[in-house]
Amino acid sequence: MMQNKKIKLLILLISSWVVGLFIILVGGRMLISLASYFLLGDFDFHRNDLIRGAEISIGCGVIIGIGQCLMSKEKPASPPDPK
């Protein structure tokens, strides 16, 4: 049962880091592109930016998620209250 909890934690950490990093990277690039569109009239967002954001977020998300999972400690179970 212990391994099952660790695997669930690992998947949760990796997926949340990947999604969060992807949103930040691509969202920031999209914000810059929108600003250049409104200021200069040139929407400068390439498909390569999307692919590069996915590559970076997946790689970093896996590394950070594994690191956090390895550093996590499980609380010891408290004894039941005898009444």
Side-chain angles (χ1 to χ4, degrees):
M1 191 67 173
M2 170 74 171
Q3 288 297 97
N4 196 14
K5 287 183 180 181
K6 276 287 205 188
I7 290 173
K8 285 181 182 178
L9 176 67
L10 177 66
I11 291 172
L12 174 71
L13 285 170
I14 289 176
S15 61
S16 62
W17 273 105
V18 167
V19 169
L21 287 171
F22 182 76
I23 290 172
I24 289 172
L25 289 172
V26 174
R29 184 67 184 116
M30 185 68 78
L31 187 65
I32 292 170
S33 296
L34 284 173
S36 73
Y37 174 72
F38 288 122
L39 295 174
L40 305 173
D42 181 29
F43 187 73
D44 187 28
F45 187 81
H46 303 289
R47 197 174 347 156
N48 292 342
D49 296 335
L50 198 61
I51 295 169
R52 192 73 180 145
E55 289 173 352
I56 292 172
S57 64
I58 290 171
C60 293
V62 168
I63 291 170
I64 295 170
I66 289 174
Q68 278 190 333
C69 188
L70 291 176
M71 290 175 28
S72 69
K73 294 181 182 175
E74 190 160 329
K75 288 186 190 176
S78 60
D81 195 21
K83 284 192 177 181

